[in-house]
Amino acid sequence: MAATPGARRTAAAATALVAAAAVGTGLWWTLGRDDPDRDCAGLRTDARVRTVLGDTWRSDLPCGELAAGLRRATVGTRPGAHTLGQAHAMRTVVLAVADSAGHRVHPDVRGPLAEALADYAADTHTVLTGVSNTAMAHDGPDDDAWQDDRGVHFAVREDQLIEVLRGLAESAAAYAGLRGADLRQGAAGLAAVPAAPSPAAIEDPLARAAAPAGVFDGIADDVLRGRSGAARTAWQEGVLQGLAPAGAPPAFGDAPAEYLARTWLGRLAEPAPTARERFARLDDQANGLLGLWADATHQDGAGIGLPALRDRARASTDRERGAAAGQLKQES
């Protein structure tokens, strides 16, 4: 992670201006560098990115136009529906960012690229579970996007995806969009569990909800590790605002996955003394979804082994949180 402004900035007024910019935009990640445009220039000059952009690429392409071009190349007109070419482009861009120095992403690129990546939440969620043989069979350097009876997909190694998510997470809005999209994948898995399940029928979708949630917790830990005071609070507040659901949840019977996701996100907005305390509710995301599902489907807690399931969800989340935070700390 790049250094914060050093002792060279001795003037008090200049220091105040720098601090304000750091809180408001996340530009602290590029302050103090010889070339503040390096993150954008590195991506723009990557041969793989140039191929993705095709005829729209040029050597002086502004960061905003670069971001817009990448988004156009990777997503279509229908949410979550992609061509093989678009999925190939998304995989190419993810690998380019993962290979870049420090996995940094220019502020003008974070939002559009995060929106594009969130459109592939079904794929990224699968990668972050760390247990998909299909994803691991397609995550090597010589692999590519593929198509099956469920649609078009791409995969990269989990550690590479974590690095890219961390780069995008400098923006609280980008982190919120990516985490919200992943949360909905976890909610959809639980919503598909039969109404009268065996404990084993719940364990797999619960584990698949818990592990990625832990990864996002670990990424947040790394973002906050480099911030304190107002900058820390501003990022947490930005995430919570980005995750706030739009409107009341539907009835469980009408849209079970959306009911679980939106109801859980609504609870994040319930009053608490500080943003830190409200943000800490995210730590129990998978367990929260499990509880909502159990209530909505009128489960017998003892019959499905609910206490043990809660413990497993928390253990899986904590394990993946520690692994992701440890990976990112080692790389900083």
Side-chain angles (χ1 to χ4, degrees):
M1 191 174 295
T4 55
R8 293 172 297 173
R9 302 180 184 273
T10 55
T15 301
L17 288 172
V18 170
V23 171
T25 68
L27 292 178
W28 63 273
W29 221 19
T30 60
L31 291 173
R33 299 157 67 102
D34 295 332
D35 178 9
D37 190 48
R38 186 180 304 168
D39 299 332
C40 182
L43 196 60
R44 182 174 54 236
T45 57
D46 188 293
R48 294 166 293 185
V49 170
R50 183 171 180 171
T51 300
V52 166
L53 293 177
D55 293 340
T56 65
W57 181 91
R58 66 177 194 270
S59 60
D60 62 345
L61 197 65
C63 295
E65 292 183 30
L66 169 67
L70 293 176
R71 194 178 188 285
R72 284 194 302 271
T74 55
V75 298
T77 57
R78 291 189 299 121
H82 313 106
T83 65
L84 270 174
Q86 289 164 347
H88 167 77
M90 188 76 258
R91 185 178 196 272
T92 299
V93 175
V94 168
L95 291 174
V97 175
D99 289 344
S100 64
H103 326 299
R104 298 183 180 93
V105 182
H106 190 278
D108 291 348
V109 179
R110 291 172 194 154
L113 185 53
E115 289 175 6
L117 190 56
D119 201 53
Y120 288 82
D123 295 331
T124 57
H125 181 79
T126 298
V127 170
L128 294 178
T129 63
V131 297
S132 171
N133 291 331
T134 302
M136 287 186 280
H138 291 86
D139 68 4
D142 298 324
D143 292 313
D144 204 345
W146 76 98
Q147 187 167 9
D148 59 21
D149 58 358
R150 295 181 295 112
V152 171
H153 313 280
F154 88 94
V156 295
R157 295 197 322 264
E158 183 180 3
D159 63 308
Q160 292 172 318
L161 180 58
I162 289 172
E163 291 159 356
V164 175
L165 292 172
R166 171 61 182 90
L168 295 171
E170 278 305 304
S171 162
Y175 175 90
L178 289 161
R179 179 158 193 160
D182 185 85
L183 181 150
R184 284 176 166 80
Q185 293 296 314
L190 283 169
V193 174
S198 65
I202 310 172
E203 290 172 4
D204 182 65
L206 180 61
R208 290 175 182 269
V215 171
F216 276 96
D217 287 342
I219 291 169
D221 288 344
D222 194 71
V223 172
L224 296 174
R225 184 169 60 88
R227 304 187 184 203
S228 61
R232 183 185 186 95
T233 299
W235 190 85
Q236 290 174 320
E237 288 282 13
V239 170
L240 292 169
Q241 290 171 12
L243 286 172
F252 180 82
D254 294 336
E258 189 62 19
Y259 167 84
L260 295 177
R262 204 180 296 184
T263 302
W264 168 244
L265 290 173
R267 292 186 176 181
L268 298 179
E270 293 176 356
T274 65
R276 181 176 182 177
E277 289 174 281
R278 285 190 291 125
F279 192 83
R281 292 170 180 164
L282 282 169
D283 299 349
D284 214 24
Q285 177 178 303
N287 188 41
L289 291 173
L290 172 65
L292 288 171
W293 170 83
D295 289 343
T297 55
H298 309 291
Q299 299 296 322
D300 174 3
I304 63 171
L306 188 59
L309 289 169
R310 289 184 181 278
D311 289 343
R312 290 183 184 181
R314 291 184 174 121
S316 179
T317 296
D318 289 347
R319 181 177 62 252
E320 297 305 317
R321 177 180 192 161
Q327 172 194 330
L328 295 169
K329 186 175 182 179
Q330 187 175 24
E331 293 175 354
S332 64

